Amino acid sequence: MGNSRIKFMGKVIGLAILITGFIVAWGIVIANQYGIADTPVILLSAINAIAIVALSFFTYSYMKATEAMATEMKTTREMDFEFEHKPKILVDFRISYLDAIYVEVTNEGNGAARNISFRFEPELKSTRRGLEDFPALHRGIGYLAPKKKLTFFFDSSVDFLKSDLARDFTVFSQYEWDVEGKPKIEEEYPLHLSPYSKTDLSSYKDERTLIDEVEKIRKTLEKIQETNLKPEV
């Protein structure tokens, strides 16, 4: 933006100088043609006229530059406000250990969300329940704080991936800012479980599983250490 303003000002100055030179030269030619001896008066008049034109150009350019700066500042303030207060709701599947699939609703934004509603195409169903059995997904969520996550057990991974139920969905979500005057947010995005098809999830290890295994190893090492420290009888 700064470079654009400098280039624009340079063009204005160059144009003013060009016009000034042209009119002064034209004034001198006319004065000589008609034998007008008072050339300095003509020059001063021409320069005065050009100064008025140049001032008009500078005034206009200043107004445009000021307007551009105001627009830029407004845009920056709006972006900062959105970063601090805009919610961002996402629905996703999470595969966990112990043969479990979860549905997670997360507010990844820095602002709270209100009146959250979802629609799934095709309808979200598991081998155990339908969408009506997930009240938060079926009837919506009234309020979700920033960085807050809601987790719901969806189905057994083994049972679901063996079934003929739909595994790929489109999520249509609507929610509102926790700030007055902001428009409702409407989003659409895919939600997939098909990449897990024909996958042995019994060996899947998530963060919780790894923590449990590390804890088991730690306890085993402690027992070995205690055994080695016991005095022989």
Side-chain angles (χ1 to χ4, degrees):
M1 184 64 70
N3 291 334
S4 299
R5 287 198 292 269
I6 293 173
K7 290 180 180 179
F8 181 77
M9 292 292 290
K11 290 180 180 179
V12 170
I13 294 172
L15 182 61
I17 293 173
L18 180 63
I19 294 175
T20 301
F22 174 78
I23 293 182
V24 169
W26 176 78
I28 293 173
V29 170
I30 295 298
N32 291 333
Q33 183 178 353
Y34 289 94
I36 300 174
D38 201 1
T39 303
V41 174
I42 296 176
L43 293 175
L44 289 174
S45 299
I47 292 173
N48 183 61
I50 295 305
I52 294 174
V53 174
L55 179 61
S56 300
F57 273 110
F58 278 118
T59 302
Y60 174 77
S61 65
Y62 176 77
M63 291 174 59
K64 295 297 291 183
T66 302
E67 181 182 350
M69 289 178 62
T71 302
E72 184 178 359
M73 291 176 64
K74 181 182 178 182
T75 302
T76 301
R77 288 196 300 268
E78 289 177 350
M79 292 176 61
D80 290 341
F81 185 86
E82 285 196 2
F83 177 78
E84 294 176 0
H85 300 283
K86 188 175 182 179
K88 180 64 176 178
I89 302 298
L90 288 177
V91 180
D92 200 3
F93 288 118
R94 179 170 67 85
I95 307 296
S96 179
Y97 74 116
L98 299 180
D99 179 34
I101 301 175
Y102 293 92
V103 176
E104 294 185 336
V105 179
T106 308
N107 181 2
E108 296 187 349
N110 291 321
R114 291 186 179 275
N115 302 322
I116 307 163
S117 62
F118 303 102
R119 180 168 60 87
F120 298 88
E121 291 186 2
E123 184 177 344
L124 189 66
K125 291 182 179 180
S126 72
T127 59
R128 293 169 168 78
R129 60 188 73 179
L131 184 62
E132 65 277 2
D133 296 313
F134 300 93
L137 302 178
H138 180 57
R139 295 197 295 268
I141 303 169
Y143 179 89
L144 191 60
K147 309 304 180 183
K148 181 72 174 180
K149 179 186 295 184
L150 302 178
T151 303
F152 309 95
F153 175 74
F154 178 67
D155 206 344
S156 159
S157 60
V158 174
D159 294 342
F160 185 81
L161 295 177
K162 286 182 178 179
S163 72
D164 295 328
L165 293 171
R167 299 173 189 177
D168 297 326
F169 309 88
T170 300
V171 182
F172 299 87
S173 64
Q174 293 185 353
Y175 52 95
E176 299 174 359
W177 296 53
D178 192 25
V179 177
E180 292 185 2
K182 289 295 183 179
K184 180 182 293 185
I185 299 173
E186 298 182 0
E187 295 177 322
E188 173 186 345
Y189 51 91
L191 181 64
H192 294 313
L193 271 175
S194 59
Y196 294 101
S197 298
K198 299 181 180 180
T199 301
D200 180 14
L201 297 178
S202 61
S203 61
Y204 179 84
K205 298 184 184 299
D206 63 2
E207 182 179 350
R208 182 67 260 173
T209 310
L210 295 175
I211 293 175
D212 290 343
E213 291 186 356
V214 170
E215 182 64 18
K216 290 179 181 178
I217 293 173
R218 186 186 65 82
K219 290 181 178 180
T220 301
L221 292 175
E222 286 181 352
K223 290 181 180 180
I224 294 174
Q225 186 177 12
E226 290 176 358
T227 302
N228 292 335
L229 291 177
K230 285 182 179 180
E232 297 182 0
V233 179

